[in-house]
Amino acid sequence: MKKLINDPADVVAEALVGVESAHPDLRVDHANKVVYRRDASRPGKVGLISGGGSGHEPLHAGYVGFGMLDAACCGEVFTSPVPDQMLAATKTVDGGAGVLHIVKNYTGDVLNFEMAAELAAAETGVEIVSVVTDDDVAVQDSTWTAGRRGVGVTVLLEKIAGAAAEAGRPLKEVADVAREVNANGRSMGIALTSCTVPANGKPTFELGEAEMEVGVGIHGEPGRSRQPLAPARDLAHVLVDPILEDLPFRSGDGAIAFVNGLGGTPLIELYLMYGEVAKILAGHGVTPVRSLVGPYITSLDMAGCSVTLLKVTDELLRLWDAPVNTPALRWGV
Amino acid sequence: MKKLINDPADVVAEALVGVESAHPDLRVDHANKVVYRRDASRPGKVGLISGGGSGHEPLHAGYVGFGMLDAACCGEVFTSPVPDQMLAATKTVDGGAGVLHIVKNYTGDVLNFEMAAELAAAETGVEIVSVVTDDDVAVQDSTWTAGRRGVGVTVLLEKIAGAAAEAGRPLKEVADVAREVNANGRSMGIALTSCTVPANGKPTFELGEAEMEVGVGIHGEPGRSRQPLAPARDLAHVLVDPILEDLPFRSGDGAIAFVNGLGGTPLIELYLMYGEVAKILAGHGVTPVRSLVGPYITSLDMAGCSVTLLKVTDELLRLWDAPVNTPALRWGV
Amino acid sequence: MPDSRITLDGLKSWLQEFARLIAEQRTQLSELDAAIGDGDHGTNMDRGMQAVVASLSGETIDEMVKLAGMKLVSTVGGASGPLYGTFLLRFAGSAGPTAELDATQFAAAMRAGLNGIVARGKAEPEDKTMFDALAPAVQTLELGVAGSFADTLRAAADAAEKGRDATIEMRARKGRASYLGERSIGHQDPGATSAALLLRAAATTLG
Amino acid sequence: MPDSRITLDGLKSWLQEFARLIAEQRTQLSELDAAIGDGDHGTNMDRGMQAVVASLSGETIDEMVKLAGMKLVSTVGGASGPLYGTFLLRFAGSAGPTAELDATQFAAAMRAGLNGIVARGKAEPEDKTMFDALAPAVQTLELGVAGSFADTLRAAADAAEKGRDATIEMRARKGRASYLGERSIGHQDPGATSAALLLRAAATTLG
Ligand SMILES: Nc1ncnc2c1ncn2[C@@H]1O[C@H](COP(=O)(O)OP(=O)(O)O)[C@@H](O)[C@H]1O
Ligand SMILES: Nc1ncnc2c1ncn2[C@@H]1O[C@H](COP(=O)(O)OP(=O)(O)O)[C@@H](O)[C@H]1O
Ligand SMILES: [Mg+2]
Ligand SMILES: [Mg+2]
Ligand SMILES: [Mg+2]
Ligand SMILES: [Mg+2]
């Protein structure tokens, strides 16, 4: 394992030291490992919190700021945070208009957020709505599983719901927008290499020199199948086709097209993939009205990428375009 | 070699297809492999062009846009572009106020930009000033070498000179600002793994499981020495100490502190490194008044990082803070 | 069953013994999880139970067990934190502010705990989870066996281990292992394995 | 030396033979570059010379060689593109709009080309560059040797090869290899190697 770290046990705590030094607009509660907007809470604004295991940076701490999250709860690497963290965050960001919990659909995350919501409601009466993202089409048969995993759509949802909250909309509406994003977004990923969890010191799984894991999860969970590595133009089909099968687009629909790097894949490859994805979309008459290309929800140092497509209405697009000011997404301000 | 590509020979051309689809604000001249601001040239504004071998994305194409570059000339991977590209770019972006060439100090880049400048001057009489970045303190004895390599400072220079040009300053002043940035910035990098050039198909160099290359170049050039991999807190000294020796800061000085990922290193490690760098700076009384953390000048899939420190005046800081709207750097707009 | 009073100290020993077994089998639990999950179940439970035993206190059973449950929730993370935590919290709620439980009250508290796990995790039989080890054990405690309370506890621990072993052939439908689909078959569930340790610890300390 | 007229066709053959030798030794040139540079010198030169021979045209020597130089500049990239390109452009300028060169004019054109390389790259003797192969060859052409022009050309090619070999012991002070410092010693310079091929091609085709 070759990493820029000290003791593997301290990775998250020490990365948060760096986040705090690098971003004066953020405030870090080191005891609870929660990253806050410096100006949280804001009276009358719905509070947005998210969180999960670390190792997916910039998700979630990189999305804390104006127009997006009010707080991010950072668990240990690939381990969901504990309820105390979300409890503290919920209480801190509550500006009287309630708090939205954005939770990726993993049993650990769901249960820990759920307990936090119960505790917070019991302690303070704050109104909480949880929205769970489950956009990973790699997990198929959902009556037989814990349900689809939450992946790339989470980024888009945090931005769009964040804009709705920033616009002063009430909790119910912010939650409805969030659910609409989740319902209209799908993702699929492939890994070219495994990630290496610092505490384990060795790759989570082994892949042959000419193999890829199709449908990989962002914690290195196995996907649909292991297949021979193929040219980018074929990989784009491997990623886009199952999404289009699952979420029928009609010719003329607009989409936010998001090609995400998993951590170890450089931007030149992601742009090349984006070109291939755009070609396939054009073939289906789908217009990528907005794009996002880069490492936005990663799996430590895993090489590979994921594609997320979000079918958008004019309203969702307006919210996407609204100003945002976070370490990882910024425009209009 | 595991990459998201088609034919290795087509990587740059196909990545540019993706850049064009993803960024409607940019225009791509595919024949010349030049990326332009859609609104170039702007009458009366000094034109800024840069370029170099590809494989360092987002540098340079990711810095084309309002407040930064007018055009980026993309060479083949790690091969400098040819004069035709800079000639075309220079002619296209010239708005009557002259053109600044921003060139990283590698013999190939310098010579090709130089020929382009001569050809452009001969053909159109456009006024051109070239500023060469040479900030890599890993290359020591410069009377015995082709001089220091241009690395991280290039990113900061493109931003700051871009702001000066956007503010309508004349070519001489824009060039002076650019030279001031180069004179006050230094960088140092380490590699944990080699990069793999698509056309070669195998790593450029070999590193043992517990080794690092100290002072590596962004094309995988050898550095000062090969050393055992060490904890991040020691690596921060390996990177920052030679910079501070070379560019004496006085206690109270302000700096832009830039921790750059080389392509294969995830953000969580870069933030951890930033925390370590900030501690060392604090020990010297140097205040990181602004930060930049992420993969901004990369070496394909190389794991590792570099640190760049730029000593700033209020004026440089104002230019840094000025609005910018490019794929990779955006704020204030 | 007048020989079956369970005291505050007895419950303390139970949790300590559970912590000891978890620490002892930590690597094994994580390896089971690595095969069909994310390889952290042993680390998670060990971190939690060490924190629990380091802070064991309280004058009544509900006080002590509630504290233990909260501690587990605060330190484990992952799926097992809220699940085991809820188990203890509901156990405490059922036991109430008392210093002793009889066998019937103990079985009722265990049932309440199990119901808490189900309420939280929605596990059904044969989903390949800790439920599959706990459910037969709780049923054994409720029905009792011929002989002493100690015999019942041992029978419950045996039932838990049988339930644990039965998870090998199951296809996971809950938790991370469910992503594997068919490929989860043939592996023993880590949560069921730690649950069997909880019952074995009870047999060792409460009988 | 009335036997030493160099025609347009002769120069064409020269460039074609140079392209052939580069293509033949492409891998070897890149390997030399991999040791002390970035491993692309063979690829760069081959790409460029293939483009040159594919577009050879012109009625006069300056026209043809200028076109060849421009083509090289437009297709090579890297350090060697502008350097070899400038060499040919200056050669063309010195030769002028003629269809033939005599030995003296040829030597003068070669000197002009070399001066172009120096003007562009600032190389000094023993910087471990193409200069170290070209300079002794040009000098040989200027001085001539006893015998025919063909003998002079062969002597020039020999001088270039000797210069090339001498780069092995030099420490690079120009180009990418200079970053290696001491560690550049012991490796033959790729640019000097291709320059020796240019002179060998001249001996083969112009003599
Ligand atoms: N919905 C559920 N209901 C009951 N038990 C569950 C459920 N989901 C997971 N589990 C149990 O949790 C165990 C995994 O725990 P652990 O590895 O600590 O958490 P995580 O999966 O978050 O890493 C599984 O072996 C299983 O027994
Ligand atoms: N300043 C210079 N003057 C003369 N020749 C040079 C100079 N710099 C480099 N060279 C020559 O160029 C060769 C390398 O060419 P090439 O590999 O094609 O370019 P690059 O170094 O840009 O990859 C070196 O071997 C050397 O002979
Ligand atoms: Mg886990
Ligand atoms: Mg090169
Ligand atoms: Mg687990
Ligand atoms: Mg080279």
Side-chain angles (χ1 to χ4, degrees), chain B residues 263-284:
Chain B
T265 284
L267 205 50
I268 188 169
E269 297 177 38
L270 299 179
Y271 271 111
L272 195 152
M273 281 299 298
Y274 187 87
E276 299 295 346
V277 168
K279 271 179 223 157
I280 298 177
L281 294 181
H284 286 79

Side-chain angles (χ1 to χ4, degrees), chain D residues 91-175:
Chain D
F91 181 107
S94 167
T98 172
E100 279 191 358
L101 298 177
D102 65 20
T104 312
Q105 290 169 322
F106 178 71
M110 290 294 281
R111 171 62 67 190
L114 179 57
N115 286 346
I117 287 180
V118 171
R120 193 144 304 288
K122 317 276 179 309
E124 294 178 30
E126 306 198 12
D127 276 356
K128 193 178 185 116
T129 69
M130 55 178 71
F131 176 91
D132 295 308
L134 290 171
V138 172
Q139 203 178 10
T140 305
L141 292 172
E142 285 170 338
L143 299 178
V145 298
S148 69
F149 180 53
D151 292 324
T152 297
L153 285 169
R154 268 191 298 276
D158 292 345
E161 283 164 13
K162 223 176 119 203
R164 171 199 70 192
D165 294 345
T167 63
I168 298 178
E169 290 310 312
M170 295 174 190
R171 172 176 168 169
R173 283 184 300 220
K174 286 285 180 304

